[in-house]
Amino acid sequence: MVEIATQKQKQAFLNMWQNCFDDSEAFSKWLFEKRFLPDYCTYIQKDGNIVCCMQSYPLHIWVRGNVVKGVMLCGVCTDKHYRKQGLMTELFSHTMRFLREKGFVIAVHTPAVLNSYYAFGHFPVNKCQYIQSENVCAVSKDTNVIEINAHFERLYHCYEQFSQKYSGCISRTMADFVLKMEDYKADDAKVIVYEQYDVIKGYSVFYCTSDMVQAVETVAENQQIYQKIVEGVCYYAKERKLSIKLPEDVVIDMPFLKSNVVEKGVAGILDIQKLMSVLGQKKGYAIAIQDNVIEQNNGVFDLDGSVTTMPPDIKLNVANAVQLLLGYCDLYDLEQNHAVEIYNKQNAKKIADFYTKQQCYIVDEY
């Protein structure tokens, strides 16, 4: 039976996190002190112990220039002694329905194994590129690139402008952005910024070990600033391995760095009607949706999210619908992949015009 957590279960959730993930003790304890919200956490108990659990964090998410009420999922795990018993299928399905009842519209997350959640209708909606090197040569950094350890609120405007460009990106308040930066610092992350005339125009958050530098969040207002920030990270990575996560559309000109573009984050629709309503497209067209997890998402809907008796123009699985609505795929991509049934070609072309491709990026890892 799936249950909702209380504060009394915080230690048990922390124990599960530490048993299943490789995060440092300092970061894990910080995260559960600052981020554990039991009202949005679920679990299954066996033999008197929590053996399967997951957490949700309420946030707002940019979708085609609109802010949508959503959640970020994290800490999805099962005790190794209880795996392959169907517990996660039960927990995850129940939690998606529970989050819908709470009024959330979409869920995003970054699974370690991307296809783990395909069966629940959670499909890729984001690509990122990793700029990498096995051995970084000596690189000088711009004098405007400096390291900071406090006053992270000064970075907020830079993040806010960046996040609005990408469908799937989290729309954060300043307070939550500062808290996220403190999450990073709790795990000894370094932060460098590009500052010009007392204005921060870019930043990178990265971790240094004896043999590697890994930048997990890098944001800048234009390509030139990205170049300066990446050079700054390389400065710290001299004679070490390097990995810098960037949006797919960023171009870095450094010959010794190689770019590897991969699918990364996934999303699932909790309430198809609310999502379509927020996106606010024209009425007079009909999309049939199939969802094996959330019953209310099944049906034929006009583009404003209302139920319609019109015959459907196209038919989609909810997993492909999230790719279309966020803008990761357009209707032509889905047609090429045999992921859509088209009944009315003329109306399907109109629908394709309404839901064009977008730049998609999920910067967060949890």
Side-chain angles (χ1 to χ4, degrees), residues 250-363:
V250 173
V251 178
I252 300 299
D253 183 17
M254 300 181 76
F256 67 89
L257 296 179
K258 305 299 181 184
S259 173
N260 181 31
V261 177
V262 298
E263 285 188 321
K264 188 67 174 173
V266 304
I269 296 174
L270 304 174
D271 192 324
I272 187 73
Q273 292 184 260
K274 284 185 179 178
L275 180 57
M276 295 176 77
S277 174
V278 170
L279 299 184
Q281 300 296 358
K282 293 181 180 178
K283 288 176 66 67
Y285 304 89
I287 300 180
I289 300 293
Q290 287 186 318
D291 188 338
N292 296 327
V293 175
I294 299 176
E295 182 179 354
Q296 298 95 319
N297 283 342
N298 290 283
V300 181
F301 306 101
D302 210 323
L303 300 196
D304 68 348
S306 60
V307 175
T308 180
T309 57
M310 292 188 299
D313 299 311
I314 65 172
K315 181 179 179 181
L316 288 168
N317 182 282
V318 73
N320 300 118
V322 74
Q323 294 182 312
L324 177 68
L325 296 180
L326 263 73
Y328 182 66
C329 297
D330 60 25
L331 202 59
Y332 305 112
D333 293 328
L334 298 178
E335 184 178 16
Q336 188 174 10
N337 294 329
H338 308 289
V340 58
E341 295 181 34
I342 296 177
Y343 307 121
N344 185 319
K345 289 186 177 182
Q346 184 176 354
N347 283 357
K349 186 179 185 306
K350 291 287 188 181
I351 293 170
D353 292 340
F354 294 138
Y355 298 117
T356 56
K357 274 190 175 180
Q358 305 289 301
Q359 288 183 312
C360 297
Y361 188 57
I362 300 174
V363 69

